[in-house]
Amino acid sequence: DSGVTQTPKHLITATGQRVTLRCSPRSGDLSVYWYQQSLDQGLQFLIQYYNGEERAKGNILERFSAQQFPDLHSELNLSSLELGDSALYFCASSGKTGTYNEQFFGPGTRLTVL
Amino acid sequence: AQSVAQPEDQVNVAEGNPLTVKCTYSVSGNPYLFWYVQYPNRGLQFLLKYITGDNLVKGSYGFEAEFNKSQTSFHLKKPSALVSDSALYFCAVRDRGGDKIIFGKGTRLHILP
């Protein structure tokens, strides 16, 4: 158990809908990262937050947004969903940013868009 | 720009034989390098990392990796493979002082009994 929790574990929804994925980092970790894993694209970095502020941005679509709250949990919002958004979404956390700290991954949320 | 290449989609090794999973990287400065493993329906788990110093890094489950600066490589190795090592392996790189960590596309390791 990495100490990172993600809810829900599975999510099935329809095209055009909006969903929210939630992540709680390990106790004491200030950085939260979001990744999308699909069969054809591999593991894609979406966005990073550090202590409530956006720190780095990857291949995140404009339909997607994220935030980190004062209690350090994070939410990833996906809107106007398309079939191609079906994937595993992982959250990871780590300690101080810009260092050699490894990331600890949650179990993921499997999103299926029908 | 940072990049990581894992040239093999899949590696097959007989149980008991040594295994190598290849990784090459490109960063502007000195890198931090990582290996992660993903078992089916699980998140990624950290295996080992290179920060500085000894080029041979030892990690979890008997894995080790060799940092080669001239070849910009960080290959994952294990002297004797186990069937339970079968999984998806990811190499990752972070530029020192930077925030973004870039993952390779992954290499699926099959250990044959």
Side-chain angles (χ1 to χ4, degrees):
Chain A
D1 185 2
S2 67
V4 178
T5 60
Q6 288 187 250
T7 57
K9 192 170 183 178
H10 299 279
L11 199 49
I12 301 174
T13 188
T15 55
Q17 295 298 304
R18 173 190 171 95
V19 297
T20 297
L21 313 183
R22 182 188 169 102
C23 167
S24 292
R26 286 192 325 155
S27 176
D29 282 354
L30 299 179
S31 279
V32 169
Y33 306 77
W34 285 98
Y35 294 89
Q36 179 193 60
Q37 186 178 32
S38 58
L39 284 175
D40 56 344
Q41 294 291 324
L43 191 66
Q44 298 286 317
F45 167 69
L46 295 178
I47 197 164
Q48 179 206 356
Y49 277 81
Y50 178 74
N51 202 20
E53 294 189 2
E54 182 183 305
R55 193 67 185 230
K57 223 168 186 177
N59 301 321
I60 188 166
L61 300 172
E62 285 191 11
R63 300 183 285 109
F64 296 180
S65 65
Q67 55 184 327
Q68 187 179 27
F69 295 87
D71 66 352
L72 300 178
H73 91 271
S74 178
E75 293 181 356
L76 178 67
N77 300 297
L78 315 176
S79 62
S80 303
L81 285 167
E82 302 175 0
L83 295 177
D85 297 328
S86 296
L88 262 173
Y89 290 85
F90 287 107
C91 164
S93 75
S94 71
K96 189 176 177 181
T97 192
T99 71
Y100 50 79
N101 289 329
E102 61 270 25
Q103 296 179 357
F104 294 86
F105 282 75
T109 294
R110 183 172 293 279
L111 174 66
T112 302
V113 182
L114 301 175
Chain B
Q2 295 169 241
S3 66
V4 177
Q6 293 182 243
E8 302 151 319
D9 289 336
Q10 183 168 309
V11 171
N12 297 322
V13 177
E15 187 176 25
N17 283 1
L19 69 87
T20 298
V21 183
K22 296 179 180 177
C23 171
T24 58
Y25 66 90
S26 174
V27 295
S28 56
N30 291 319
Y32 296 131
L33 294 158
F34 305 83
W35 276 102
Y36 290 81
V37 60
Q38 185 181 26
Y39 297 101
N41 300 313
R42 303 284 296 275
L44 279 69
Q45 296 177 34
F46 169 74
L47 274 180
L48 51 80
K49 63 185 175 185
Y50 171 80
I51 304 168
T52 188
D54 194 349
N55 290 340
L56 187 63
V57 179
K58 294 188 182 298
S60 307
Y61 312 121
F63 283 93
E64 57 190 29
E66 187 168 11
F67 171 64
N68 188 318
K69 188 172 183 177
S70 63
Q71 297 186 4
T72 61
S73 67
F74 190 56
H75 301 332
L76 181 70
K77 300 181 179 184
K78 188 172 182 180
S80 178
L82 300 172
V83 172
S84 57
D85 293 330
S86 298
L88 187 57
Y89 290 80
F90 290 93
C91 180
V93 63
R94 165 184 264 164
D95 193 4
R96 290 181 186 235
D99 295 302
K100 195 184 297 186
I101 181 168
I102 302 298
F103 283 82
K105 62 179 176 58
T107 297
R108 191 163 296 281
L109 179 63
H110 285 285
I111 307 301
L112 309 170

